[in-house]
């Protein structure tokens, strides 16, 4: 960025450049079908099944250790019936978003490593939520997949400034999200939150993504935000992929204390994630790094 130019605004990042992808129209049709009182499982399954690649990945995921069902799930109708309508919709969202962002320079981020970090965060958030006996676990997995999506928008729209900020972190040993706030007045979470709202993604997913580095600002979903915050730290500490951040982010102790997790529970959670990580990567990575 030239020295005399003003920093970009949130709005300019999302609307000033046409390179930011749109969510496939398929999701709007799927949402309408799910929310229509007369829609049947057959109607919903038919919409998902129109995308053969998406159908194949959802079925692979449904039959992987991610779920651990003993009986094989052969059709989307079975998946919708067994896993749940909202849950399959959330999985469809996660899978399709991973194929949207193309052409980001590899000196900024390797997409394969970026999605590995996101999947690791999603699996960890889901495992934490399981331990905490939360309902609808797929929203936590999807939240992990999407939590750093704002950084991809920044890499597309302001690549030179991102290079400068990464170099600053490398030279000064600083956290990237803190340098983002210093240079822009907001971080990648704010960018991702606005993008997800523009895509009309439910607030239960967009708010935790927006505030995963700023937990105290979450109003409606502070618990989900705290889970995502802790999951992100664990994914960084275990070196699951790379999101562009060079260091492990700082722990928000209030968020951690609010979850009332015991340190003794962490080894079991990490073991559970380790069991699922390689298989989930194998199912989802097909579109991620291309």
């Amino acid at each position: 960025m030239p020295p005399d130019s003003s920093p970009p605004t949130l709005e300019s990042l999302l609307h000033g450049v046409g390179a930011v992808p749109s969510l496939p129209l398929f999701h709007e049709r799927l949402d309408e079908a799910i929310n229509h009182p007369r829609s049947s499982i057959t109607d919903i399954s038919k919409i998902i099944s129109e995308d053969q690649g998406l159908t194949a990945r959802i079925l692979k995921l449904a039959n992987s250790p991610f779920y651990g069902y003993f009986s094989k799930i052969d059709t989307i109708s079975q998946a919708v019936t067994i896993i749940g309508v909202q849950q399959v919709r959330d999985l469809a969202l996660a899978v399709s978003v991973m194929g949207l962002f193309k052409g980001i320079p590899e000196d900024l981020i390797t997409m394969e490593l970026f999605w590995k970090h996101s999947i690791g965060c999603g699996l960890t958030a889901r495992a934490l939520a399981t331990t905490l006996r939360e309902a609808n676990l797929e929203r936590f997995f999807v939240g992990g997949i999407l939590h750093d999506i704002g950084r991809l928008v920044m890499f597309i729209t302001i690549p030179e400034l991102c290079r400068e900020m990464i170099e600053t972190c490398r030279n000064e040993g600083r956290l990237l999200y803190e340098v983002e706030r210093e240079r822009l007045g907001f971080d990648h979470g704010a960018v991702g939150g606005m993008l997800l709202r523009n895509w009309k993604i439910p607030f239960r997913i967009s708010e935790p993504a927006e505030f995963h580095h700023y937990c105290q600002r979450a109003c409606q979903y502070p618990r989900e935000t705290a889970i995502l915050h802790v999951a992100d730290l664990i994914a960084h500490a275990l070196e699951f992929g790379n999101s562009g951040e060079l260091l492990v982010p700082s722990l928000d102790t209030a968020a951690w204390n609010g979850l009332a997790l015991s340190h003794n529970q962490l080894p079991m959670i990490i073991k559970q994630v380790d069991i699922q990580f390689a298989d989930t990567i194998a199912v989802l990575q097909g579109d991620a790094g291309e």
Side-chain angles (χ1 to χ4, degrees):
M1 185 176 66
D4 58 344
S5 63
S6 300
T9 63
L10 265 176
E11 290 73 16
S12 69
L13 287 184
L14 292 171
H15 302 298
V17 179
V20 178
S22 301
L23 202 60
L25 186 61
F26 145 84
H27 284 283
E28 190 174 331
R29 292 177 55 216
L30 186 58
D31 268 343
E32 287 177 0
I34 289 173
N35 295 323
H36 196 290
R38 293 185 179 177
S39 288
S40 65
I41 287 179
T42 301
D43 296 329
I44 295 166
S45 302
K46 185 178 178 183
I47 293 174
I48 297 173
S49 299
E50 289 175 5
D51 187 327
Q52 295 181 0
L54 178 65
T55 298
R57 287 191 294 279
I58 288 177
L59 291 178
K60 284 182 182 177
L61 199 59
N63 287 294
S64 74
F66 184 81
Y67 281 105
Y69 290 121
F70 291 107
S71 302
K72 187 177 181 184
I73 298 175
D74 293 314
T75 66
I76 285 294
S77 294
Q78 280 182 294
V80 171
T81 302
I82 295 172
I83 299 173
V85 173
Q86 302 289 343
Q87 289 77 7
V88 169
R89 184 205 31 202
D90 287 347
L91 287 179
L93 171 65
V95 171
S96 58
V97 166
M98 292 177 65
L100 287 181
F101 290 85
K102 308 285 187 183
I104 295 178
E106 288 206 4
D107 66 313
L108 287 174
I109 194 72
T110 302
M111 293 303 289
E112 179 183 354
L113 294 178
F114 178 87
W115 290 120
K116 278 185 176 177
H117 169 74
S118 301
I119 291 168
C121 180
L123 290 173
T124 307
R126 191 175 186 272
L128 288 167
T130 302
T131 301
L132 294 167
R133 302 181 184 280
E134 294 288 330
N136 187 2
L137 299 175
E138 270 47 71
R139 61 192 167 121
F140 294 95
F141 178 66
V142 176
I145 295 289
L146 300 177
H147 78 290
D148 277 339
I149 201 168
R151 192 160 276 155
L152 296 183
V153 173
M154 294 168 67
F155 288 158
I156 289 175
T157 55
I158 49 171
E160 289 303 323
L161 181 53
C162 287
R163 284 190 184 90
E164 289 179 25
M165 293 191 291
I166 291 171
E167 195 60 25
T168 297
C169 292
R170 188 172 287 119
N171 293 336
E172 300 178 9
R174 299 179 61 189
L175 289 161
L176 183 52
Y177 68 88
E178 292 182 349
V179 175
E180 290 168 356
R181 289 176 191 166
E182 181 179 281
R183 296 291 299 272
L184 301 169
F186 51 83
D187 64 22
H188 63 280
V191 180
M194 179 171 280
L195 175 66
L196 295 175
R197 287 196 297 277
N198 287 351
W199 282 354
K200 299 179 182 177
I201 302 302
F203 206 52
R204 60 186 164 81
I205 292 175
S206 67
E207 185 179 76
E210 181 169 5
F211 296 121
H212 69 278
H213 289 306
Y214 231 143
C215 295
Q216 305 312 311
R217 291 197 173 185
C219 298
Q220 293 190 32
Y221 297 97
R223 187 168 176 82
E224 287 82 354
T225 304
I227 289 173
L228 191 58
H229 167 76
V230 173
D232 183 41
L233 265 62
I234 292 174
H236 276 290
L238 296 178
E239 299 183 341
F240 286 143
N242 186 327
S243 68
E245 188 68 78
L246 302 175
L247 305 172
V248 178
S250 305
L251 176 67
D252 183 323
T253 52
W256 169 260
N257 292 336
L259 293 177
L261 272 168
S262 163
H263 288 88
N264 296 330
Q265 292 173 295
L266 289 179
M268 185 59 70
I269 291 169
I270 291 171
K271 182 179 179 181
Q272 182 181 342
V273 173
D274 272 337
I275 291 171
Q276 298 172 340
F277 186 67
D279 286 308
T280 308
I281 290 290
V283 171
L284 296 179
Q285 195 81 77
D287 281 351
E290 299 171 0

